[in-house]
Amino acid sequence: MNENDRRFLQGWGDELSPTLDENYELVTGMARVPVCVACPMAQWYKLEHPPSKPSEEPRQATLECFCTAYRGVMYDGRRVVTACDARIDALKSESGDPE
């Protein structure tokens, strides 16, 4: 996570989804924070990764984001959304801004 990500999270900390709020340590552990953390179109999931063999330890839980606007997974740890038209439109709509 870089300094811009930290500032972004601080600005939106009170408006994170319940899943992100309950798993904040996973959010702060992301290499980069996607703008999806502050998007009303995002549905976040915490994924548990059980071991494939009884003798193995489970892998650390991860977060995944599904976008209801684009109908697809937008964050799974392999790529990071840093700008999104659907997010901008959704935030304008929530604020009542016509433009």
Side-chain angles (χ1 to χ4, degrees):
M1 178 182 315
N2 65 28
E3 194 57 39
N4 289 337
D5 293 339
R6 284 186 192 81
R7 281 195 298 272
F8 181 73
L9 272 178
Q10 287 174 346
W12 289 93
D14 294 341
E15 298 182 45
L16 296 180
S17 75
T19 298
L20 294 180
D21 205 29
E22 291 170 9
N23 298 283
Y24 196 71
E25 72 284 350
L26 293 177
V27 175
T28 58
M30 293 176 172
R32 290 291 318 273
V33 175
V35 296
C36 309
V37 299
C39 180
M41 304 301 285
Q43 293 179 332
W44 284 90
Y45 303 90
K46 177 182 178 183
L47 304 176
E48 300 285 339
H49 304 283
S52 55
K53 298 177 186 174
S55 61
E56 293 179 352
E57 291 292 318
R59 292 184 296 143
Q60 182 179 0
T62 58
L63 294 170
E64 183 174 284
C65 174
F66 180 85
C67 178
T68 59
Y70 292 112
R71 297 186 180 137
V73 174
M74 298 311 288
Y75 179 81
D76 61 6
R78 295 181 292 171
R79 60 184 182 189
V80 177
V81 177
T82 57
C84 176
D85 289 340
R87 177 180 176 270
I88 292 167
D89 292 344
L91 292 174
K92 282 181 185 176
S93 177
E94 276 191 350
S95 71
D97 187 1
E99 283 278 319

